PDB file of all heavy atoms in Angstrom:
ATOM      1  N   PHE A  14      14.171 -19.322  -7.912  1.00  0.00           N
ATOM      2  CA  PHE A  14      13.857 -18.618  -9.162  1.00  0.00           C
ATOM      3  C   PHE A  14      14.977 -17.666  -9.549  1.00  0.00           C
ATOM      4  O   PHE A  14      15.629 -17.059  -8.695  1.00  0.00           O
ATOM      5  CB  PHE A  14      12.588 -17.768  -9.002  1.00  0.00           C
ATOM      6  CG  PHE A  14      11.313 -18.535  -8.997  1.00  0.00           C
ATOM      7  CD1 PHE A  14      10.728 -18.915  -7.803  1.00  0.00           C
ATOM      8  CD2 PHE A  14      10.668 -18.893 -10.174  1.00  0.00           C
ATOM      9  CE1 PHE A  14       9.537 -19.617  -7.759  1.00  0.00           C
ATOM     10  CE2 PHE A  14       9.482 -19.604 -10.158  1.00  0.00           C
ATOM     11  CZ  PHE A  14       8.912 -19.963  -8.948  1.00  0.00           C
ATOM     12  N   LEU A  15      15.159 -17.527 -10.856  1.00  0.00           N
ATOM     13  CA  LEU A  15      15.953 -16.431 -11.402  1.00  0.00           C
ATOM     14  C   LEU A  15      14.950 -15.333 -11.707  1.00  0.00           C
ATOM     15  O   LEU A  15      14.054 -15.522 -12.533  1.00  0.00           O
ATOM     16  CB  LEU A  15      16.703 -16.842 -12.658  1.00  0.00           C
ATOM     17  CG  LEU A  15      17.513 -15.726 -13.329  1.00  0.00           C
ATOM     18  CD1 LEU A  15      18.613 -15.228 -12.402  1.00  0.00           C
ATOM     19  CD2 LEU A  15      18.101 -16.192 -14.646  1.00  0.00           C
ATOM     20  N   VAL A  16      15.054 -14.203 -11.019  1.00  0.00           N
ATOM     21  CA  VAL A  16      14.064 -13.133 -11.156  1.00  0.00           C
ATOM     22  C   VAL A  16      14.592 -12.059 -12.095  1.00  0.00           C
ATOM     23  O   VAL A  16      15.643 -11.458 -11.845  1.00  0.00           O
ATOM     24  CB  VAL A  16      13.730 -12.507  -9.785  1.00  0.00           C
ATOM     25  CG1 VAL A  16      12.702 -11.397  -9.961  1.00  0.00           C
ATOM     26  CG2 VAL A  16      13.226 -13.571  -8.827  1.00  0.00           C
ATOM     27  N   CYS A  17      13.855 -11.817 -13.165  1.00  0.00           N
ATOM     28  CA  CYS A  17      14.234 -10.797 -14.149  1.00  0.00           C
ATOM     29  C   CYS A  17      13.233  -9.659 -14.106  1.00  0.00           C
ATOM     30  O   CYS A  17      12.016  -9.882 -14.092  1.00  0.00           O
ATOM     31  CB  CYS A  17      14.275 -11.377 -15.550  1.00  0.00           C
ATOM     32  SG  CYS A  17      15.542 -12.646 -15.771  1.00  0.00           S
ATOM     33  N   GLN A  18      13.733  -8.434 -14.052  1.00  0.00           N
ATOM     34  CA  GLN A  18      12.859  -7.263 -14.061  1.00  0.00           C
ATOM     35  C   GLN A  18      12.744  -6.732 -15.476  1.00  0.00           C
ATOM     36  O   GLN A  18      13.748  -6.625 -16.207  1.00  0.00           O
ATOM     37  CB  GLN A  18      13.411  -6.182 -13.123  1.00  0.00           C
ATOM     38  CG  GLN A  18      13.409  -6.590 -11.672  1.00  0.00           C
ATOM     39  CD  GLN A  18      14.046  -5.537 -10.767  1.00  0.00           C
ATOM     40  OE1 GLN A  18      14.711  -5.878  -9.784  1.00  0.00           O
ATOM     41  NE2 GLN A  18      13.852  -4.284 -11.100  1.00  0.00           N
ATOM     42  N   ALA A  19      11.528  -6.402 -15.876  1.00  0.00           N
ATOM     43  CA  ALA A  19      11.265  -5.875 -17.215  1.00  0.00           C
ATOM     44  C   ALA A  19      10.744  -4.456 -17.103  1.00  0.00           C
ATOM     45  O   ALA A  19       9.784  -4.191 -16.378  1.00  0.00           O
ATOM     46  CB  ALA A  19      10.257  -6.749 -17.944  1.00  0.00           C
ATOM     47  N   GLY A  20      11.389  -3.528 -17.803  1.00  0.00           N
ATOM     48  CA  GLY A  20      10.966  -2.139 -17.751  1.00  0.00           C
ATOM     49  C   GLY A  20      11.287  -1.511 -16.404  1.00  0.00           C
ATOM     50  O   GLY A  20      12.109  -1.999 -15.648  1.00  0.00           O
ATOM     51  N   ASN A  21      10.587  -0.424 -16.109  1.00  0.00           N
ATOM     52  CA  ASN A  21      10.798   0.302 -14.859  1.00  0.00           C
ATOM     53  C   ASN A  21       9.805  -0.195 -13.818  1.00  0.00           C
ATOM     54  O   ASN A  21       8.621   0.144 -13.845  1.00  0.00           O
ATOM     55  CB  ASN A  21      10.596   1.804 -15.094  1.00  0.00           C
ATOM     56  CG  ASN A  21      10.888   2.633 -13.860  1.00  0.00           C
ATOM     57  OD1 ASN A  21      11.543   2.159 -12.919  1.00  0.00           O
ATOM     58  ND2 ASN A  21      10.395   3.858 -13.837  1.00  0.00           N
ATOM     59  N   ILE A  22      10.248  -1.029 -12.891  1.00  0.00           N
ATOM     60  CA  ILE A  22       9.355  -1.647 -11.927  1.00  0.00           C
ATOM     61  C   ILE A  22       9.985  -1.668 -10.541  1.00  0.00           C
ATOM     62  O   ILE A  22      11.171  -1.956 -10.394  1.00  0.00           O
ATOM     63  CB  ILE A  22       8.957  -3.089 -12.375  1.00  0.00           C
ATOM     64  CG1 ILE A  22       8.011  -3.746 -11.369  1.00  0.00           C
ATOM     65  CG2 ILE A  22      10.206  -3.948 -12.569  1.00  0.00           C
ATOM     66  CD1 ILE A  22       6.655  -3.169 -11.329  1.00  0.00           C
ATOM     67  N   MET A  23       9.178  -1.349  -9.530  1.00  0.00           N
ATOM     68  CA  MET A  23       9.635  -1.416  -8.141  1.00  0.00           C
ATOM     69  C   MET A  23       9.124  -2.732  -7.570  1.00  0.00           C
ATOM     70  O   MET A  23       7.918  -2.968  -7.526  1.00  0.00           O
ATOM     71  CB  MET A  23       9.088  -0.244  -7.320  1.00  0.00           C
ATOM     72  CG  MET A  23       9.550  -0.264  -5.869  1.00  0.00           C
ATOM     73  SD  MET A  23       8.981   1.196  -4.941  1.00  0.00           S
ATOM     74  CE  MET A  23       7.197   0.920  -4.943  1.00  0.00           C
ATOM     75  N   THR A  24      10.034  -3.614  -7.147  1.00  0.00           N
ATOM     76  CA  THR A  24       9.619  -4.928  -6.690  1.00  0.00           C
ATOM     77  C   THR A  24       9.167  -4.944  -5.232  1.00  0.00           C
ATOM     78  O   THR A  24       8.528  -5.885  -4.791  1.00  0.00           O
ATOM     79  CB  THR A  24      10.761  -5.950  -6.860  1.00  0.00           C
ATOM     80  OG1 THR A  24      11.932  -5.458  -6.198  1.00  0.00           O
ATOM     81  CG2 THR A  24      11.071  -6.146  -8.345  1.00  0.00           C
ATOM     82  N   MET A  25       9.460  -3.891  -4.485  1.00  0.00           N
ATOM     83  CA  MET A  25       8.982  -3.809  -3.101  1.00  0.00           C
ATOM     84  C   MET A  25       7.713  -2.972  -3.077  1.00  0.00           C
ATOM     85  O   MET A  25       7.753  -1.779  -3.380  1.00  0.00           O
ATOM     86  CB  MET A  25      10.040  -3.164  -2.196  1.00  0.00           C
ATOM     87  CG  MET A  25       9.578  -2.971  -0.750  1.00  0.00           C
ATOM     88  SD  MET A  25       9.192  -4.522   0.091  1.00  0.00           S
ATOM     89  CE  MET A  25      10.852  -5.182   0.331  1.00  0.00           C
ATOM     90  N   PRO A  26       6.558  -3.582  -2.753  1.00  0.00           N
ATOM     91  CA  PRO A  26       5.301  -2.810  -2.783  1.00  0.00           C
ATOM     92  C   PRO A  26       5.276  -1.738  -1.718  1.00  0.00           C
ATOM     93  O   PRO A  26       5.915  -1.852  -0.681  1.00  0.00           O
ATOM     94  CB  PRO A  26       4.244  -3.884  -2.513  1.00  0.00           C
ATOM     95  CG  PRO A  26       4.968  -4.939  -1.725  1.00  0.00           C
ATOM     96  CD  PRO A  26       6.361  -4.971  -2.326  1.00  0.00           C
ATOM     97  N   GLY A  27       4.529  -0.672  -1.994  1.00  0.00           N
ATOM     98  CA  GLY A  27       4.425   0.435  -1.046  1.00  0.00           C
ATOM     99  C   GLY A  27       2.980   0.830  -0.823  1.00  0.00           C
ATOM    100  O   GLY A  27       2.101   0.454  -1.574  1.00  0.00           O
ATOM    101  N   LEU A  28       2.738   1.599   0.220  1.00  0.00           N
ATOM    102  CA  LEU A  28       1.393   2.094   0.496  1.00  0.00           C
ATOM    103  C   LEU A  28       1.072   3.241  -0.450  1.00  0.00           C
ATOM    104  O   LEU A  28       1.956   3.884  -1.029  1.00  0.00           O
ATOM    105  CB  LEU A  28       1.306   2.567   1.946  1.00  0.00           C
ATOM    106  CG  LEU A  28       1.430   1.500   3.034  1.00  0.00           C
ATOM    107  CD1 LEU A  28       1.501   2.175   4.402  1.00  0.00           C
ATOM    108  CD2 LEU A  28       0.244   0.556   2.970  1.00  0.00           C
ATOM    109  N   SER A  29      -0.233   3.518  -0.579  1.00  0.00           N
ATOM    110  CA  SER A  29      -0.645   4.671  -1.379  1.00  0.00           C
ATOM    111  C   SER A  29      -0.289   5.950  -0.632  1.00  0.00           C
ATOM    112  O   SER A  29       0.064   5.927   0.560  1.00  0.00           O
ATOM    113  CB  SER A  29      -2.166   4.620  -1.607  1.00  0.00           C
ATOM    114  OG  SER A  29      -2.854   4.752  -0.382  1.00  0.00           O
ATOM    115  N   LYS A  30      -0.382   7.076  -1.320  1.00  0.00           N
ATOM    116  CA  LYS A  30      -0.054   8.364  -0.686  1.00  0.00           C
ATOM    117  C   LYS A  30      -1.027   8.685   0.435  1.00  0.00           C
ATOM    118  O   LYS A  30      -0.705   9.435   1.360  1.00  0.00           O
ATOM    119  CB  LYS A  30      -0.069   9.465  -1.735  1.00  0.00           C
ATOM    120  CG  LYS A  30       1.039   9.325  -2.776  1.00  0.00           C
ATOM    121  CD  LYS A  30       0.980  10.460  -3.789  1.00  0.00           C
ATOM    122  CE  LYS A  30       2.090  10.310  -4.830  1.00  0.00           C
ATOM    123  NZ  LYS A  30       2.052  11.393  -5.835  1.00  0.00           N
ATOM    124  N   SER A  31      -2.254   8.142   0.347  1.00  0.00           N
ATOM    125  CA  SER A  31      -3.259   8.386   1.378  1.00  0.00           C
ATOM    126  C   SER A  31      -3.853   7.043   1.793  1.00  0.00           C
ATOM    127  O   SER A  31      -4.877   6.610   1.261  1.00  0.00           O
ATOM    128  CB  SER A  31      -4.364   9.309   0.843  1.00  0.00           C
ATOM    129  OG  SER A  31      -5.350   9.536   1.840  1.00  0.00           O
ATOM    130  N   PRO A  32      -3.236   6.331   2.751  1.00  0.00           N
ATOM    131  CA  PRO A  32      -3.707   5.021   3.180  1.00  0.00           C
ATOM    132  C   PRO A  32      -5.151   5.046   3.658  1.00  0.00           C
ATOM    133  O   PRO A  32      -5.628   6.045   4.201  1.00  0.00           O
ATOM    134  CB  PRO A  32      -2.754   4.655   4.322  1.00  0.00           C
ATOM    135  CG  PRO A  32      -1.523   5.471   4.070  1.00  0.00           C
ATOM    136  CD  PRO A  32      -2.019   6.750   3.477  1.00  0.00           C
ATOM    137  N   ALA A  33      -5.880   3.936   3.437  1.00  0.00           N
ATOM    138  CA  ALA A  33      -7.277   3.845   3.844  1.00  0.00           C
ATOM    139  C   ALA A  33      -7.461   4.032   5.348  1.00  0.00           C
ATOM    140  O   ALA A  33      -8.543   4.430   5.806  1.00  0.00           O
ATOM    141  CB  ALA A  33      -7.848   2.496   3.409  1.00  0.00           C
ATOM    142  N   ALA A  34      -6.402   3.766   6.119  1.00  0.00           N
ATOM    143  CA  ALA A  34      -6.470   3.904   7.575  1.00  0.00           C
ATOM    144  C   ALA A  34      -6.844   5.306   7.991  1.00  0.00           C
ATOM    145  O   ALA A  34      -7.424   5.516   9.069  1.00  0.00           O
ATOM    146  CB  ALA A  34      -5.132   3.507   8.212  1.00  0.00           C
ATOM    147  N   TYR A  35      -6.554   6.306   7.151  1.00  0.00           N
ATOM    148  CA  TYR A  35      -6.894   7.689   7.473  1.00  0.00           C
ATOM    149  C   TYR A  35      -8.406   7.889   7.601  1.00  0.00           C
ATOM    150  O   TYR A  35      -8.852   8.818   8.266  1.00  0.00           O
ATOM    151  CB  TYR A  35      -6.358   8.630   6.402  1.00  0.00           C
ATOM    152  CG  TYR A  35      -4.861   8.813   6.421  1.00  0.00           C
ATOM    153  CD1 TYR A  35      -4.203   9.364   5.329  1.00  0.00           C
ATOM    154  CD2 TYR A  35      -4.095   8.476   7.528  1.00  0.00           C
ATOM    155  CE1 TYR A  35      -2.817   9.548   5.322  1.00  0.00           C
ATOM    156  CE2 TYR A  35      -2.721   8.641   7.552  1.00  0.00           C
ATOM    157  CZ  TYR A  35      -2.085   9.178   6.448  1.00  0.00           C
ATOM    158  OH  TYR A  35      -0.732   9.365   6.468  1.00  0.00           O
ATOM    159  N   ASN A  36      -9.177   7.040   6.913  1.00  0.00           N
ATOM    160  CA  ASN A  36     -10.630   7.215   6.875  1.00  0.00           C
ATOM    161  C   ASN A  36     -11.367   6.325   7.874  1.00  0.00           C
ATOM    162  O   ASN A  36     -12.592   6.369   7.969  1.00  0.00           O
ATOM    163  CB  ASN A  36     -11.162   6.911   5.473  1.00  0.00           C
ATOM    164  CG  ASN A  36     -10.526   7.787   4.424  1.00  0.00           C
ATOM    165  OD1 ASN A  36     -10.392   8.997   4.624  1.00  0.00           O
ATOM    166  ND2 ASN A  36     -10.154   7.212   3.281  1.00  0.00           N
ATOM    167  N   ILE A  37     -10.645   5.504   8.618  1.00  0.00           N
ATOM    168  CA  ILE A  37     -11.275   4.582   9.563  1.00  0.00           C
ATOM    169  C   ILE A  37     -11.389   5.221  10.952  1.00  0.00           C
ATOM    170  O   ILE A  37     -10.438   5.841  11.440  1.00  0.00           O
ATOM    171  CB  ILE A  37     -10.487   3.264   9.645  1.00  0.00           C
ATOM    172  CG1 ILE A  37     -10.417   2.600   8.267  1.00  0.00           C
ATOM    173  CG2 ILE A  37     -11.125   2.307  10.653  1.00  0.00           C
ATOM    174  CD1 ILE A  37      -9.524   1.379   8.214  1.00  0.00           C
ATOM    175  N   ASP A  38     -12.567   5.060  11.563  1.00  0.00           N
ATOM    176  CA  ASP A  38     -12.781   5.639  12.885  1.00  0.00           C
ATOM    177  C   ASP A  38     -13.852   4.833  13.620  1.00  0.00           C
ATOM    178  O   ASP A  38     -14.401   3.879  13.081  1.00  0.00           O
ATOM    179  CB  ASP A  38     -13.235   7.105  12.728  1.00  0.00           C
ATOM    180  CG  ASP A  38     -12.953   7.919  13.995  1.00  0.00           C
ATOM    181  OD1 ASP A  38     -12.600   7.330  15.027  1.00  0.00           O
ATOM    182  OD2 ASP A  38     -13.091   9.151  13.925  1.00  0.00           O
ATOM    183  N   ILE A  39     -14.144   5.218  14.840  1.00  0.00           N
ATOM    184  CA  ILE A  39     -15.207   4.614  15.632  1.00  0.00           C
ATOM    185  C   ILE A  39     -16.200   5.716  16.019  1.00  0.00           C
ATOM    186  O   ILE A  39     -15.793   6.752  16.567  1.00  0.00           O
ATOM    187  CB  ILE A  39     -14.653   3.933  16.905  1.00  0.00           C
ATOM    188  CG1 ILE A  39     -13.707   2.794  16.508  1.00  0.00           C
ATOM    189  CG2 ILE A  39     -15.787   3.388  17.774  1.00  0.00           C
ATOM    190  CD1 ILE A  39     -13.024   2.117  17.686  1.00  0.00           C
ATOM    191  N   ASP A  40     -17.500   5.507  15.697  1.00  0.00           N
ATOM    192  CA  ASP A  40     -18.480   6.545  16.004  1.00  0.00           C
ATOM    193  C   ASP A  40     -18.905   6.502  17.468  1.00  0.00           C
ATOM    194  O   ASP A  40     -18.408   5.688  18.268  1.00  0.00           O
ATOM    195  CB  ASP A  40     -19.694   6.435  15.074  1.00  0.00           C
ATOM    196  CG  ASP A  40     -20.477   5.139  15.260  1.00  0.00           C
ATOM    197  OD1 ASP A  40     -20.308   4.480  16.311  1.00  0.00           O
ATOM    198  OD2 ASP A  40     -21.276   4.791  14.372  1.00  0.00           O
ATOM    199  N   GLU A  41     -19.868   7.385  17.831  1.00  0.00           N
ATOM    200  CA  GLU A  41     -20.274   7.512  19.237  1.00  0.00           C
ATOM    201  C   GLU A  41     -20.969   6.271  19.772  1.00  0.00           C
ATOM    202  O   GLU A  41     -21.100   6.088  20.997  1.00  0.00           O
ATOM    203  CB  GLU A  41     -21.216   8.729  19.387  1.00  0.00           C
ATOM    204  CG  GLU A  41     -22.512   8.640  18.609  1.00  0.00           C
ATOM    205  CD  GLU A  41     -22.343   9.131  17.174  1.00  0.00           C
ATOM    206  OE1 GLU A  41     -21.197   9.338  16.749  1.00  0.00           O
ATOM    207  OE2 GLU A  41     -23.371   9.297  16.492  1.00  0.00           O
ATOM    208  N   ASN A  42     -21.409   5.350  18.854  1.00  0.00           N
ATOM    209  CA  ASN A  42     -22.047   4.136  19.264  1.00  0.00           C
ATOM    210  C   ASN A  42     -21.100   2.937  19.307  1.00  0.00           C
ATOM    211  O   ASN A  42     -21.529   1.805  19.524  1.00  0.00           O
ATOM    212  CB  ASN A  42     -23.240   3.825  18.344  1.00  0.00           C
ATOM    213  CG  ASN A  42     -24.310   4.902  18.402  1.00  0.00           C
ATOM    214  OD1 ASN A  42     -24.682   5.347  19.485  1.00  0.00           O
ATOM    215  ND2 ASN A  42     -24.796   5.305  17.226  1.00  0.00           N
TER     216      ASN A  42
END
């Protein structure tokens, strides 16, 4: 492919500022 970028775009995806992993845990059971 010939890849053309339009507008202001980051082609390498990134994680959010607060990844969901922060909220995952294992309870006492």
Side-chain angles (χ1 to χ4, degrees):
F14 285 95
L15 177 63
V16 181
C17 295
Q18 294 176 216
N21 183 18
I22 180 70
M23 181 176 66
T24 55
M25 177 62 73
L28 293 173
S29 65
K30 293 181 180 179
S31 179
Y35 288 164
N36 301 317
I37 301 174
D38 203 350
I39 297 176
D40 65 17
E41 62 275 10
N42 298 314

